[in-house]
């Protein structure tokens, strides 16, 4: 199965699922908050999702992420 997420996008979404804010994710990964938001936006665009929550649900459904 072809993977949709880059390794960085996966890291960002795993932290989002653990309820980290974009600022906390940026600090954790050593990147800017804008870069975190860009990763989230890129994933939402790939999936056609209108919200972060919808993106997470879809990523779980297609088994890109696991709980």
């Amino acid at each position: 199965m072809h993977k949709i997420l880059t390794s960085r996008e996966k890291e960002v979404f795993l932290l989002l699922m653990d309820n980290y804010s974009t600022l906390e994710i940026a600090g954790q990964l050593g990147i800017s908050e804008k870069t975190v938001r860009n990763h989230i936006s890129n994933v939402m665009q790939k999936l056609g999702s209108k919200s972060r929550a919808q993106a997470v649900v879809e990523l779980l459904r297609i088994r890109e992420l696991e709980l």
Side-chain angles (χ1 to χ4, degrees), residues 5-16 25 29 65:
L5 299 180
T6 65
S7 56
R8 184 59 102 188
E9 289 167 347
K10 187 171 187 171
E11 286 177 304
V12 168
F13 268 83
L14 287 171
L15 290 169
L16 265 182
I25 293 169
L29 299 179
L65 297 176

Side-chain angles (χ1 to χ4, degrees), residues 2-17 25 29 31 35-47 55-56 59 64-65:
H2 180 58
K3 293 293 176 192
I4 290 174
L5 299 180
T6 65
S7 56
R8 184 59 102 188
E9 289 167 347
K10 187 171 187 171
E11 286 177 304
V12 168
F13 268 83
L14 287 171
L15 290 169
L16 265 182
M17 287 171 50
I25 293 169
L29 299 179
I31 58 179
T35 301
V36 172
R37 287 194 306 270
N38 285 342
H39 285 309
I40 294 166
S41 294
N42 290 342
V43 171
M44 287 171 57
Q45 191 170 17
K46 286 181 196 181
L47 298 170
V56 167
L59 290 168
E64 276 286 317
L65 297 176

Side-chain angles (χ1 to χ4, degrees), residues 16-39:
L16 265 182
M17 287 171 50
D18 283 339
N19 215 25
Y20 284 84
S21 69
T22 52
L23 185 59
E24 291 168 328
I25 293 169
Q28 189 99 356
L29 299 179
I31 58 179
S32 74
E33 193 175 0
K34 179 165 179 18
T35 301
V36 172
R37 287 194 306 270
N38 285 342
H39 285 309

